[in-house]
Amino acid sequence: MQHINLNALRVFAMAASHGNLQRAAEELNLTRGAVSQRIRQLEIDLGVVLLVRGARGVSLTPEGARCHEAVSEALSILETAIVDIGGGEDRIILHLGSSTAARWLMPRMDAFAHSFPDVSLTTEVHEQILPRSLGRNEIALWPGRGPDSNPEHHCRALTDIRLVAVCSPALVDPARTPDLKALLTLPLLQDAHRRWEKLIEKAGQGRAEKLLNFDRSALALDAAVGGHGVAIAPDYMIGDDLRAKRLVTVWTDPEPATDRLYVSWSRSHLGRQRISRIVAWIEEEFRKSGAAVSAPK
């Protein structure tokens, strides 16, 4: 096999993790065209198609999935080795979804820095769960139907994923909570999970006339704060906005939660006490916000 460009492998891994070329370009400080060109050249070098381009982003082919897993595992090994060599136990990498990062982590960054002044926190945003084991200085927050099944990981449940519909207080009469039929007459802000479409279909209410689509929950929630409509999202993402009265709840999913948000970390993690303290801090933040798990599953 001819020489493979290692930088192209990293670009591919970033695009695969995000499921989106533009987001990968933003994180790598490249143009979207440059990301696409490097991945295409990698595909030519390997003689296989790695990504399928679509209107909503990119998806992995079977060959691409195998390549992504291998490259991610190799990058993790390199990251852990560099930490070992440099004695960088103060560097922690946190993997999580973009909306969890924007709506849950970012408002708590000052609190994190206060609690861990000697820790250098790096966040890596993904749209899909990592296909590899976590390195010894990595923590991941990810939703799922059940706990992380990777035997190399510790895993704990943080919160049930309870769905609520929210909007600006200026959009509804605070004295009256609209029923579902009235709610569907308002502008509806939908993210990539397409929850409004699923709810409308399930309720047999026909089609909503005012449906605005966003690719992330965080963007739909920002639009809701701005008074542009009603968004559906997990309640752990909107606690701060409810307390500040930037948003009000106008609907709560009557179905019991089937998914949870979990925290995972390596069983062979560096600085056991430090990693354990950070995991405990994350758990405490969910407890303080009232979003902790309701009962064991």
Side-chain angles (χ1 to χ4, degrees):
M1 180 183 294
Q2 67 184 71
H3 174 71
I4 299 298
N5 187 296
L6 296 180
N7 188 47
L9 288 172
R10 180 171 177 267
V11 171
F12 161 71
M14 189 69 68
S17 295
H18 283 289
N20 187 285
L21 297 182
Q22 182 59 43
R23 291 183 200 168
E26 291 168 1
E27 187 158 340
L28 293 165
N29 198 28
L30 297 170
T31 66
R32 185 183 185 282
V35 168
S36 181
Q37 183 178 17
R38 292 183 192 187
I39 293 173
R40 287 193 185 280
Q41 185 59 54
L42 179 62
E43 291 175 322
I44 291 171
D45 292 342
L46 292 174
V48 296
V49 176
L50 300 172
L51 295 176
V52 176
R53 281 77 168 170
R56 296 185 176 276
V58 294
S59 59
L60 290 165
T61 64
E63 293 80 7
R66 290 197 295 272
C67 183
H68 185 214
E69 182 175 2
V71 172
S72 296
E73 192 74 37
L75 290 174
S76 175
I77 292 170
L78 285 171
E79 176 68 34
T80 298
I82 289 169
V83 170
D84 283 342
I85 293 168
E89 292 188 11
D90 60 341
R91 184 185 179 200
I92 301 297
I93 300 174
L94 181 62
H95 301 274
L96 69 174
S98 59
S99 293
T100 300
R103 305 293 305 185
W104 184 84
L105 179 62
M106 289 303 105
R108 292 168 172 80
M109 287 301 296
D110 286 345
F112 182 91
H114 177 76
S115 297
F116 305 99
D118 298 327
V119 172
S120 174
L121 181 67
T122 298
T123 59
E124 291 196 7
V125 172
H126 310 273
E127 298 309 314
Q128 300 173 354
I129 193 168
L130 287 173
R132 60 168 175 83
S133 297
L134 294 169
R136 290 187 288 167
N137 63 327
E138 295 179 300
I139 300 172
L141 303 184
W142 205 260
R145 289 290 174 95
D148 188 339
S149 60
N150 190 323
E152 301 298 320
H153 294 169
H154 291 294
C155 180
R156 293 179 189 164
L158 293 171
T159 184
D160 299 318
I161 297 182
R162 295 174 286 256
L163 297 178
V164 294
V166 292
C167 66
S168 166
L171 199 63
V172 294
D173 182 350
R176 295 178 58 189
T177 300
D179 58 20
L180 182 58
K181 186 175 181 180
L183 197 60
L184 296 179
T185 66
L186 299 172
L188 305 179
L189 309 172
Q190 180 169 251
D191 60 30
H193 294 283
R194 310 187 74 80
R195 293 182 176 118
W196 278 119
E197 289 183 9
K198 295 172 185 176
L199 180 61
I200 291 166
E201 181 180 356
K202 185 176 181 179
Q205 295 290 331
R207 297 182 63 183
E209 296 181 3
K210 304 174 183 177
L211 194 61
L212 303 177
N213 289 286
F214 299 84
D215 67 344
R216 310 181 202 183
S217 298
L219 295 177
L221 287 169
D222 287 346
V225 170
H228 301 293
V230 187
I232 296 178
D235 63 353
Y236 76 84
M237 291 186 184
I238 46 89
D240 294 335
D241 294 297
L242 293 177
R243 286 185 286 274
K245 302 188 185 302
R246 293 186 291 266
L247 292 173
V248 294
T249 302
V250 291
W251 175 85
T252 300
D253 189 352
E255 299 295 328
T258 58
D259 288 7
R260 282 181 162 179
L261 188 70
Y262 293 90
V263 57
S264 299
W265 68 104
S266 174
R267 291 186 179 275
S268 60
H269 56 278
L270 286 169
R272 291 180 180 275
Q273 185 176 5
R274 174 166 289 169
I275 290 284
S276 297
R277 285 176 54 222
I278 293 173
V279 171
W281 178 86
I282 292 171
E283 292 180 300
E284 179 60 21
E285 287 298 309
F286 276 91
R287 279 193 290 271
K288 283 164 52 178
S289 67
V293 289
S294 56
K297 279 190 179 178

